[in-house]
Amino acid sequence: MPQQVTSFLRRLGDTVRGFSVAQRVIAIIGVAVVALGVTGIALWASQPTYTPLFSGLQAADASSIVDQLRTDGVPYQLTDGGATILVPQEKVYDERLKAASAGLPASTTGGYSLLDKMGVTSSEFQQSVTYKRAMEGELANTISAMKGVKTASVRLAIPQDSVFVADKKDPTASVFVETQNGVTLTPDQVQAIVHLTSAAITGMKPTDVAVVSADGTVLSAVGTGATGGADKQATDYETRVKTAVQDMLDKVVGPGNATVAVAADVSTESAQRTEESYTTPTNAPSLSETTQKETYTGTGGGSAAGVLGPDNIAVPNGGNGNGSFSSESATKDNAVDKVTEQRTIPAGAVTRQTVSVALNSDAIGSVSTAEIRNLVDAAAGIDLQRGDSVSVETVPFSKAGATEAAKALQEAKDAATADQLTAIVRTSIIAAAVLAALVLVLVLVRRSRRRAGEEAIEGPEPTLAFEATPFPLPLQQAAPTVPMQLDPLPDAGPDAEEVAADRRRAEIEALADRDPQKTAEFLRSLMDDRASV
């Protein structure tokens, strides 16, 4: 092992041995947190990105596909109660191709592929049932492809054809829709399902389709269509009118100074109406014209009969008679415009509505009730011939509710502020604890490095041996706290004592430069020894 690594490990061990119990606990916790964090990040980074392989699977298909993934050694995850299988993104297309080659998923609704399995010996009943099943499967597959739809099931009720027109009935359909988690079908999507189903079956109307969600909610009922029943239509209409009138009044008298109530009567009957109207075109030529004229002329003779007289005896008229006859007739066929209009009146038509408006008398100012009434008439579409009515009154509003609401809002605001302050304090405490742990670790590491450097510079401790006579201090015993070993002094005449003293002084100064702390302790011990003497 390299010397640098060995020395680092030795210094680290010496540092750890120098820790107190609390420091060791904090160090162990810090190391464990760092190790867990590094491990979690490594595991998260090493996890592959999973992508749905198939969704909306039946139990049998899911089991077969999982067996295939296990055989191939591909990791997978199951979600949505086992209906969705997730695999690593780089394995999606390969596993889809393998599943398709194996005929998976096999639990399908069939669709028009059911017609391919029919033989020439199939009866008329089998053909009709198979055709209906094929239509149901195709419609279910198409609806399942809509955004947010998890699975769909369609049931058709197609009556048998009859030669009697009076006995003919319209076909109906029932659609069961299961949406994905957290998804709710919008009214436009429900209408799309209704019109898609009704347009696929001959003779089916949008009002003949029922749509039911997985939680049992009726999204479209037979006879009312996708917009719901009369009660729902009335509620939607009242809400729409109330919102329009309330928004207008809030801008006129200020928010909270007006309240609006709308009541609407909605027809629950649907009907069909046919109208024919005839008009005469202007400057249009006649289609046909016929004219007949007869004229007769004649003269009378003696044989002309006379006038009966008394006793039934003819009396001559006394002259000859001349006669003429004339007759004329004309027939003209003119062009006539004919308009035939057929209308279907659905349920939900508004037969009557009433609007009630209450204004705060303390806040309306110079605005009159007549002006408010005119504004409400225009905003709500009031029809007097239909029997609509509007009532506008100015009354003092109660302030108790406003006070309670303001108090509740203030309490909610205070609670939100307290929660925010608590979150800030909690975050600050956590950040301070982490920062303190880091600072403590840095301090301990720095201290260990300083000790290691001092030990490396210090080297072996020298020992000093003093004699009582040559040392300038009047010491009676040579037992210093830190002994120093000096080289033997040569005997070189009378100046030897002075040379030895200078040498000892130089060694003490060198020791003071190298380790001032130990030198101070040594001198302090000498002073203590001198004081005791």
Side-chain angles (χ1 to χ4, degrees):
M1 185 176 294
Q3 183 179 1
Q4 294 82 359
V5 178
T6 305
S7 60
F8 173 75
L9 294 178
R10 184 175 63 256
R11 291 195 301 270
L12 181 62
D14 296 338
T15 303
V16 172
R17 284 192 295 271
F19 286 175
S20 63
V21 177
Q23 292 175 346
R24 292 182 181 180
V25 171
I26 294 176
I28 293 173
I29 293 175
V31 172
V33 170
V34 172
L36 290 176
V38 172
T39 304
I41 294 174
L43 291 177
W44 174 77
S46 62
Q47 287 292 333
T49 302
Y50 282 85
T51 304
L53 179 64
F54 292 104
S55 60
L57 295 173
Q58 301 294 332
D61 291 339
S63 177
S64 301
I65 294 175
V66 167
D67 292 340
Q68 173 186 331
L69 295 176
R70 290 176 179 174
T71 303
D72 297 340
V74 177
Y76 64 90
Q77 294 180 357
L78 298 178
T79 59
D80 294 338
T84 301
I85 300 178
L86 304 177
V87 297
Q89 189 173 5
E90 63 273 9
K91 298 290 185 179
V92 171
Y93 300 107
D94 295 340
E95 294 302 323
R96 283 182 181 175
L97 293 176
K98 291 182 180 180
S101 63
L104 297 174
S107 299
T108 60
T109 53
Y112 286 128
S113 61
L114 295 175
L115 302 178
D116 299 335
K117 302 178 183 179
M118 294 181 59
V120 295
T121 59
S122 300
S123 63
E124 183 179 358
F125 175 75
Q126 291 178 338
Q127 293 177 2
S128 62
V129 171
T130 304
Y131 175 74
K132 187 176 72 171
R133 289 179 56 196
M135 292 295 298
E136 293 174 349
E138 289 295 330
L139 289 173
N141 293 334
T142 305
I143 295 173
S144 299
M146 295 181 63
K147 183 179 180 180
V149 178
K150 183 178 180 180
T151 57
S153 178
V154 180
R155 294 293 179 266
L156 301 177
I158 303 176
Q160 296 181 356
D161 295 335
S162 175
V163 296
F164 301 101
V165 179
D167 296 338
K168 188 176 181 180
K169 298 181 180 180
D170 296 333
T172 58
S174 300
V175 181
F176 174 82
V177 178
E178 182 180 1
T179 59
Q180 298 176 356
N181 294 332
V183 177
T184 302
L185 294 180
T186 62
D188 294 338
Q189 289 178 314
V190 176
Q191 290 184 3
I193 294 174
V194 169
H195 290 288
L196 175 66
T197 306
S198 62
I201 307 300
T202 304
M204 184 178 293
K205 302 176 183 178
T207 56
D208 295 333
V209 180
V211 181
V212 182
S213 63
D215 57 357
T217 303
V218 178
L219 304 177
S220 175
V222 175
T224 59
T227 56
D231 295 338
K232 186 177 184 301
Q233 294 178 4
T235 302
D236 295 341
Y237 178 81
E238 292 171 357
T239 303
R240 184 170 65 253
V241 174
K242 179 180 178 180
T243 302
V245 176
Q246 187 69 56
D247 292 342
M248 183 263 300
L249 292 178
D250 288 344
K251 296 180 180 179
V252 175
V253 298
N257 294 321
T259 179
V260 181
V262 179
D265 294 336
V266 177
S267 176
T268 59
E269 298 179 354
S270 60
Q272 291 184 350
R273 183 177 180 180
T274 303
E275 293 182 357
E276 293 184 356
S277 60
Y278 299 89
T279 59
T280 302
T282 304
N283 299 327
S286 302
L287 297 178
S288 62
E289 184 175 357
T290 303
T291 303
Q292 294 181 355
K293 186 175 182 181
E294 296 180 357
T295 304
Y296 298 97
T297 57
T299 58
S303 61
V307 179
L308 293 178
D311 299 332
N312 294 327
I313 298 174
V315 179
N317 55 11
N320 297 327
N322 294 326
S324 63
F325 174 78
S326 177
S327 176
E328 183 177 358
S329 63
T331 303
K332 182 184 293 186
D333 295 334
N334 294 322
V336 178
D337 291 340
K338 179 182 179 182
V339 178
T340 302
E341 181 180 1
Q342 293 183 352
R343 294 186 301 170
T344 300
I345 303 175
V350 179
T351 59
R352 183 175 180 272
Q353 68 170 338
T354 59
V355 180
S356 301
V357 178
L359 302 175
N360 187 5
S361 58
D362 299 333
I364 60 174
S366 60
V367 181
S368 63
T369 57
E371 294 175 346
I372 297 296
R373 186 186 301 275
N374 294 333
L375 293 175
V376 173
D377 289 345
I382 299 300
D383 187 359
L384 298 178
Q385 296 180 356
R386 190 174 55 186
D388 298 349
S389 63
V390 177
S391 176
V392 180
E393 299 292 340
T394 58
V395 294
F397 280 15
S398 176
K399 298 181 180 180
T403 304
E404 294 295 334
K407 184 178 179 181
L409 290 176
Q410 186 63 32
E411 291 178 355
K413 186 182 296 184
D414 295 341
T417 304
D419 293 341
Q420 185 177 4
L421 181 60
T422 303
I424 293 174
V425 171
R426 186 186 304 110
T427 305
S428 302
I429 293 174
I430 295 174
V434 174
L435 183 61
L438 293 177
V439 171
L440 180 60
V441 172
L442 292 176
V443 169
L444 295 177
V445 171
R446 187 173 180 180
R447 182 179 297 176
S448 64
R449 290 181 178 178
R450 182 182 299 175
R451 289 182 179 178
E454 292 177 354
E455 292 177 357
I457 296 175
E458 180 176 329
E461 296 182 354
T463 58
L464 297 176
F466 290 95
E467 295 181 0
T469 303
F471 199 76
L473 297 177
L475 299 178
Q476 297 297 330
Q477 54 183 359
T481 305
V482 181
M484 179 178 293
Q485 183 67 36
L486 300 178
D487 297 333
L489 299 176
D491 296 335
D495 296 333
E497 295 180 359
E498 184 177 356
V499 173
D502 294 336
R503 185 173 181 179
R504 292 190 184 94
R505 189 179 297 108
E507 290 178 353
I508 293 173
E509 290 177 356
L511 178 62
D513 294 336
R514 185 169 58 249
D515 194 348
Q517 184 177 2
K518 290 187 176 181
T519 304
E521 293 178 356
F522 172 69
L523 295 176
R524 190 179 297 109
S525 63
L526 293 178
M527 294 176 64
D528 294 340
D529 295 338
R530 180 180 178 183
S532 60
V533 174

